[in-house]
Amino acid sequence: DFAISEWSGCQLILNMNRVSKNDFHPLQNCNIKSQKMRLNFIENLKPSIVMMGGRLPLIIEEDKFDNKEGGYEGKMKDFLQNSSNSLTTLSDRQKAIQKNYTLTINKILDAGHTLVLLYPVPEVGVHVPKELLKKINGKFLKARKAIRDDPVTTSYEVYKKRVEKSVRILDGITENRIYRIKPSEIFCDSEIKGRCITHNTEVSFYRDDDHLSKFGAELIVEEFKELILSEGFHYQY
């Protein structure tokens, strides 16, 4: 069986509301009550493999992605806050996110599940399909050459700096029955040294500036398949 609990812009983190920066009003679909409901759903499942991931750098840094090469998504309009709205600094909120993220993971493990942590997918800062169309510029017979000779990529160093705090949180979770998938090992510093790729000559791996396309997601799924089929993945039904 397969079940999904994916809510747009709402990672599963207990005891935190996602609130507007203007009035601290919690978003309807991302608040302490709804997060508890999501956890209850997971806790009531039979022991399973749970994959957990999302744009952790977005909520840790409280800023959208700037690729430092002209691609910037813009300012955040909300952030995570506790029930009393007493977290007054970015540092306070980062510490609370780390604490409650770890708490959430421990509760999933306590329910008997095995957890796969999906590390941050490289953000791009520009809409990849639109950028590719610009490069092709109507010359579809020469499209492959155009995007091969002038690919859409981002800096691996910028990525590493962007995810530094997020990776520290994820690496710090060392309980048993935790496995890890790192998209940067798929997209970064391999095809092009020091760069993160967003496409090949056939398909785009992204459907916009940060979400993977069907083809990009398939690369993650292949990593997941290899993980659960490997001898090192000791999962008990």
Side-chain angles (χ1 to χ4, degrees):
D1 295 337
F2 175 78
I4 187 168
S5 177
E6 187 274 324
W7 295 7
S8 179
C10 188
Q11 292 192 60
L12 177 56
I13 303 177
L14 294 173
N15 303 321
M16 305 289 287
N17 293 316
R18 188 162 182 171
V19 304
S20 167
K21 285 186 176 181
N22 293 329
D23 57 13
F24 281 23
H25 184 72
L27 302 186
Q28 184 175 4
N29 71 332
C30 196
N31 53 59
I32 292 172
K33 181 179 178 181
S34 63
Q35 298 288 43
K36 187 175 180 180
M37 289 173 57
R38 294 173 76 186
L39 179 66
N40 287 342
F41 168 74
I42 295 172
E43 288 179 326
N44 288 328
L45 296 173
K46 67 181 182 181
S48 306
I49 301 170
V50 176
M51 179 182 283
M52 188 167 174
R55 286 184 78 182
L56 192 56
L58 188 71
I59 60 175
I60 289 292
E61 303 299 335
E62 295 184 3
D63 195 14
K64 295 183 180 179
F65 182 59
D66 182 350
N67 66 19
K68 308 300 181 182
E69 297 172 347
Y72 177 50
E73 295 178 81
K75 294 290 185 180
M76 288 282 288
K77 297 180 180 179
D78 47 48
F79 56 77
L80 295 193
Q81 184 58 262
N82 63 11
S83 59
S84 60
N85 295 329
S86 62
L87 303 174
T88 58
T89 69
L90 173 61
S91 177
D92 287 341
R93 292 189 289 274
Q94 288 175 339
K95 290 175 182 176
I97 291 169
Q98 179 175 3
K99 175 183 176 181
N100 287 299
Y101 194 90
T102 304
L103 171 67
T104 304
I105 286 173
N106 284 333
K107 285 188 174 294
I108 292 172
L109 294 172
D110 289 344
H113 301 304
T114 295
L115 191 66
V116 177
L117 291 177
L118 179 63
Y119 278 56
V121 171
E123 301 153 297
V124 187
V126 297
H127 194 291
V128 176
K130 290 180 180 179
E131 288 297 308
L132 292 175
L133 284 174
K134 288 180 186 178
K135 293 178 183 296
I136 293 170
N137 195 25
K139 300 176 183 178
F140 295 104
L141 294 178
K142 297 181 179 180
R144 291 182 182 177
K145 184 178 187 304
I147 61 178
R148 183 185 65 240
D149 293 347
D150 187 20
V152 179
T153 66
T154 56
S155 165
Y156 184 37
E157 288 302 317
V158 169
Y159 167 81
K160 287 190 289 186
K161 186 174 181 180
R162 166 74 166 173
V163 304
E164 184 177 1
K165 291 185 178 69
S166 300
V167 168
R168 191 178 303 133
I169 291 173
L170 296 171
D171 284 350
I173 301 169
T174 58
E175 286 78 1
N176 293 328
R177 304 199 318 278
I178 288 183
Y179 299 84
R180 305 166 199 272
I181 293 177
K182 299 180 179 181
S184 62
E185 296 178 354
I186 300 172
F187 298 106
C188 300
D189 204 34
S190 55
E191 295 291 326
I192 303 175
K193 187 68 176 176
R195 307 294 292 182
C196 300
I197 61 172
T198 66
H199 60 89
N200 59 26
T201 58
E202 302 292 331
V203 298
S204 172
F205 300 137
Y206 289 77
R207 60 181 173 87
D208 54 24
D209 55 12
D210 62 271
H211 295 95
L212 293 177
S213 68
K214 170 179 178 285
F215 306 103
E218 285 175 349
L219 299 178
I220 302 294
V221 170
E222 285 304 312
E223 288 290 311
F224 181 66
K225 286 180 180 178
E226 289 185 17
L227 180 62
I228 64 176
L229 293 174
S230 69
E231 293 182 3
F233 199 101
H234 303 295
Y235 179 69
Q236 299 293 327
Y237 283 96

